[in-house]
Amino acid sequence: MIKFVIGTRAELIKMIPVILEAKDLEYEVIFTGQHNVDYLLEKFQIKDKINYKYLTKPRKGFELNTKEAIKFGLKYSFLLKKHLDKNDIVIVHGDTISTLIGAFAGYMKRIKVAHIESGLRSWDPFEPFPEEIIRNTVDYFSTILFVVSKLTYRNIKRQFPWKKHVYNTGNTINDSALLAYKLGKDIEIYEEDYGLVSVHRHENLKSKYRMAKIVKIILETAKRIKLIIPMYENTKKALVNYGLYDYLIKNRNIKIVEPMDYITFIKYLANSRILLTDGGSIQEESLIFKIPSILLRMKTERIEGLLTGLNYLSKLDIKETIKKIDEYLEGKYNKDFINPYGKPGSSKKIMRILKNYRAI
């Protein structure tokens, strides 16, 4: 049986198209309970269409620190192991604690582990943290690796030359984002000319110095275009603690709103003129909808996005970043690039390989 192990909303979003492709197979989706994903299943209209269960009672999520993350991961890896059989294939996605839980449980059970979205690397264990560490570890535990691009394929071959089953399928975000856009076609947007801002990275929120630079970049951008900021609670908390929140809330050209569900967010992203973000997957989504993006980071694991010219790694250099923002708002970027993370159809490729895997 195929066992999908999923913990967060972000994982589920990218896995939904893959799960739907498994409809003719014997499978089960195991949610670790790190996030409650019921509302997301309802939004994507699949709650009654898939076979799933929760490993433990869902929790709101938690603020990551190394000790707590290790404790959580070990506890639920051993719990999950009891739900696995010797003929199962465990499928995990990405770089969260739940990804590590699924991969480690499968590894301990000595069964096959498939890692979707493998091979992404920043080559710095603390940028982003803990994702970079988790990705490396999960790729080591995995038998089957579904990479998203030519570069990520080379990364795996460089690190793990003995791995035989490495497949460049592109990224399933192409399927997920377009499905979300289709589902949100009737959502009304009341703004016509705006930029979108998303800030939540652990390494940024823990640094007053970084957050001050990010706020400065946001304020300078707001002089040029109206900004919409879906504000996460942990982001707001950090801004308040650092005395930076008032600078945003008092700016008439900045609109702070509640966090959006994924389908609404995709609609706003697709209709924006520029994106300012420190996120991961959103870098890929910006390429799908050809929205120029400023990455509020020091490093990124999605190097190929930078090569398109549509994603710009700011390194929080205020002066140079504002220059790039002006270029983007003036339309000085190439829209005719080839998406390095593939085309829609990745989910079908992945499931086709898994269906035939026992014949390998």
Side-chain angles (χ1 to χ4, degrees), residues 19-60:
I19 294 168
L20 292 175
E21 289 295 330
K23 60 183 180 296
D24 298 327
L25 300 175
E26 189 179 5
Y27 79 91
E28 184 177 54
V29 182
I30 302 174
F31 294 119
T32 65
Q34 188 174 338
H35 288 170
N36 188 325
V37 297
D38 283 345
Y39 91 94
L40 193 56
L41 296 174
E42 292 170 357
K43 280 284 184 180
F44 274 90
Q45 302 172 16
I46 62 169
K47 188 171 184 180
D48 298 325
K49 298 178 182 178
I50 67 171
N51 178 26
Y52 73 93
K53 69 180 180 183
Y54 279 101
L55 183 63
T56 186
K57 184 179 178 181
R59 42 194 287 168
K60 277 188 173 182

Side-chain angles (χ1 to χ4, degrees), residues 9 44 51 62 72 111 138 146 162 168 176 189 226 269 274 276 284 339 344-345:
R9 290 181 288 274
F44 274 90
N51 178 26
F62 52 90
F72 179 86
I111 60 177
V138 172
F146 295 108
W162 64 88
N168 182 1
S176 302
I189 292 179
K226 183 169 185 176
L269 172 63
I274 192 169
L276 279 68
E284 297 155 351
N339 191 335

Side-chain angles (χ1 to χ4, degrees), residues 62-70 95-97 100 122-137 200-206 210 234 278 280 297-301:
F62 52 90
E63 190 68 21
L64 277 174
N65 62 61
T66 305
K67 184 177 179 181
E68 187 177 60
I70 293 172
D95 50 27
T96 73
I97 293 298
L100 184 58
S122 70
W123 304 110
D124 184 331
F126 299 104
E127 296 278 352
F129 176 83
E131 287 87 342
E132 183 70 9
I133 296 171
I134 292 173
R135 279 193 292 262
N136 280 267
T137 306
H200 68 276
R201 283 238 53 84
H202 172 86
E203 56 269 23
N204 285 337
L205 299 187
K206 293 298 182 182
R210 287 194 184 192
N234 57 346
D278 62 0
R297 286 178 165 209
M298 302 302 291
K299 295 184 179 181
T300 180
E301 65 281 11

Side-chain angles (χ1 to χ4, degrees), residues 153-175:
Y153 182 90
R154 290 198 296 270
N155 288 343
I156 291 296
K157 288 300 183 179
R158 167 186 169 183
Q159 253 187 311
F160 309 112
W162 64 88
K163 298 280 185 180
K164 295 181 179 180
H165 305 303
V166 185
Y167 306 95
N168 182 1
T169 56
N171 202 312
T172 62
I173 195 64
N174 289 288
D175 300 327

Side-chain angles (χ1 to χ4, degrees), residues 1-5 28 30 83-85 88-91:
M1 179 185 287
I2 289 176
K3 300 282 180 69
F4 295 93
V5 178
E28 184 177 54
I30 302 174
H83 293 259
L84 302 176
D85 296 317
D88 288 342
I89 295 179
V90 175
I91 303 181

